[in-house]
Amino acid sequence: MKKMLMSSATTMITLASAVHAQSSITLYGLIDAGLTYTSNETTGTSGGHSNWQMTSGAVQDSRWGLRGAEDLGAGMKAVFALENGFDVNSGQYSSGNRIFNRLAYVGVSSREYGALTLGRQTDGMVDFVAPLSLTGTEFGGTHFAHPFDIDNLNDSFQINNAVKYMSPEFAGFRFGAMYGFSNQAGGFTNNRAYSFGVSYANGPWNVGFGYLQLNSSARTPAQLNPNGAVTDTTASSLQGVLSTSAVPVGVLADSQKTLGVGVNYAFGPAVAGFVYSQSKLTRFFQTNLSANFQNFEGNIRYALTPALELSGAYTYSRAGGNGGGGVPHWNQVSAMADYRFSRRTDVYVQGAWQRVSPSGTSPLGVAWINGVSNPSSTATQLQATAGIRHRF
């Protein structure tokens, strides 16, 4: 009798272990905190002043999340992800009142057929081009972004109501496409988004291309559908710079069309890369203004030792359009040294210097490094951060 009971108990434990192996839920996260010096920040009517401050996410946004999978058989899995971004110094959400402000999706995946997911998700620029740029990686991050993160390579915003497909790898190729619904009766094209991209990896080479289009025909924030796909468009990141100009502030563009291409080449302990992106904005800030932003980034990273990695980038950016005031252009030099105590914990020192060369009376003629609280009162700005990251 005892043998039968022991055998039954063993069988139940084996079955429970098998069921547990078919499903998994993972709690994960990253905390990035540091001390940042900025050479010049505007302070209302008193001009610019230097600033020492505690910062969160100088390289990567602090976050925590849940992801899981359930085996459905025949090589299929149900998958989900919920991810929250937060400010480690205050404990507040990093984006409005959304609990899962970075990711929130559910879907199915297959090694053979790829993954189909629905929810709040990243676009093709983030998925296929950002990994080739230092701003989209752990080797540069927030302050390395192109002006205003206009091309979203630093993942400044995500797309609501998105249906997304990501293919498996075929001989080094991967592709994906996404469509974000407006969820608005009588306004199918208002506040919608769509995106696609492709990448190819072969030996030391890694190449990626991405495209993103955001549509928002709303003319004022009150008319903007709060439940649409487009809720955090990059055009709004220009508000801080333009707030002192004659250009009305607070209104999104009719459309934003962004494309990008990048390439990385690995040799020995080093990886060198180049990224180009272009963003066209039409009818933004309640006017007939249009703008065309272009970014050219050269970057390199070098593993000096298994624990110590050095990285740096130079970015040249320019903005043109029919808004008048000439064509401003930006030069930014960024560098970082990172030391790993372990696989999960590292410390870093990084900095960026930006100079804007305005033409005419352009309101974009002041420097503003991405992630810094306020723009400079002059054409130059310097930022430096010493920080620590921990992953779990």
Side-chain angles (χ1 to χ4, degrees), residues 268-344:
V271 178
F274 175 79
V275 171
Y276 168 79
S277 70
Q278 176 178 274
S279 296
K280 292 184 177 181
L281 282 70
T282 60
R283 292 183 56 82
F284 65 105
F285 301 113
Q286 290 182 322
T287 70
N288 290 322
L289 298 178
S290 65
N292 182 25
F293 290 82
Q294 292 179 294
N295 302 288
F296 306 82
E297 175 192 330
N299 60 69
I300 189 168
R301 63 181 195 265
Y302 184 84
L304 194 63
T305 71
L308 179 61
E309 183 126 21
L310 307 177
S311 57
Y314 166 72
T315 300
Y316 171 75
S317 306
R318 62 188 181 191
N322 66 354
V327 181
H329 50 98
W330 295 259
N331 288 274
Q332 180 165 315
V333 179
S334 311
M336 176 174 170
D338 180 82
Y339 182 81
R340 292 183 177 272
F341 290 113
S342 68
R343 184 177 60 86
R344 296 168 53 189

Side-chain angles (χ1 to χ4, degrees), residues 87-371:
D87 186 319
V88 69
N89 295 319
S90 66
Q92 294 180 334
Y93 297 143
S94 60
S95 175
N97 294 318
R98 297 186 184 93
I99 296 177
F100 299 112
N101 45 44
R102 290 180 56 85
L103 293 174
Y105 66 79
V106 65
V108 293
S109 70
S110 164
R111 288 186 179 181
E112 185 176 358
Y113 300 109
L116 180 66
T117 50
L118 297 85
R120 181 173 171 86
Q121 304 182 72
T122 54
D123 62 82
M125 292 293 292
V126 175
D127 295 334
F128 296 99
V129 183
L132 308 174
S133 167
L134 289 191
T135 183
T137 69
E138 62 182 298
F139 308 106
T142 303
H143 295 304
F144 282 43
H146 306 156
F148 318 112
D149 194 27
I150 193 75
D151 47 22
N152 200 35
L153 293 185
N154 195 51
D155 195 15
S156 293
F157 63 88
Q158 297 77 37
I159 306 300
N160 289 342
N161 312 321
V163 178
K164 181 176 178 179
Y165 171 76
M166 292 289 285
S167 78
E169 183 179 323
F170 300 104
F173 283 96
R174 290 191 69 202
F175 65 90
M178 181 209 69
Y179 186 89
F181 288 85
S182 70
N183 279 11
Q184 184 176 356
F188 184 79
T189 62
N190 184 35
N191 302 110
R192 70 172 179 176
Y194 53 90
S195 179
F196 57 86
V198 61
S199 65
Y200 176 70
N202 183 10
W205 292 97
N206 194 346
V207 182
F209 169 83
Y211 178 82
L212 168 66
Q213 179 159 337
L214 309 171
N215 288 349
S216 176
S217 60
R219 302 312 309 151
T220 69
Q223 295 172 329
L224 185 62
N225 174 22
N227 299 314
V230 182
T231 60
D232 303 301
T233 63
T234 312
S236 63
S237 69
L238 299 175
Q239 293 180 22
V241 172
L242 297 175
S243 60
T244 58
S245 72
V247 180
V249 173
V251 182
L252 305 179
D254 271 9
S255 70
Q256 178 176 325
K257 301 176 181 179
T258 297
L259 63 84
V261 61
V263 58
N264 276 181
Y265 180 77
F267 52 100
V271 178
F274 175 79
V275 171
Y276 168 79
S277 70
Q278 176 178 274
S279 296
K280 292 184 177 181
L281 282 70
T282 60
R283 292 183 56 82
F284 65 105
F285 301 113
Q286 290 182 322
T287 70
N288 290 322
L289 298 178
S290 65
N292 182 25
F293 290 82
Q294 292 179 294
N295 302 288
F296 306 82
E297 175 192 330
N299 60 69
I300 189 168
R301 63 181 195 265
Y302 184 84
L304 194 63
T305 71
L308 179 61
E309 183 126 21
L310 307 177
S311 57
Y314 166 72
T315 300
Y316 171 75
S317 306
R318 62 188 181 191
N322 66 354
V327 181
H329 50 98
W330 295 259
N331 288 274
Q332 180 165 315
V333 179
S334 311
M336 176 174 170
D338 180 82
Y339 182 81
R340 292 183 177 272
F341 290 113
S342 68
R343 184 177 60 86
R344 296 168 53 189
T345 303
D346 62 310
V347 292
Y348 62 84
V349 177
Q350 60 96 254
W353 176 83
Q354 184 184 102
R355 177 176 176 81
V356 181
S357 299
S359 178
T361 59
S362 170
L364 301 179
V366 295
W368 193 2
I369 296 170
N370 190 65

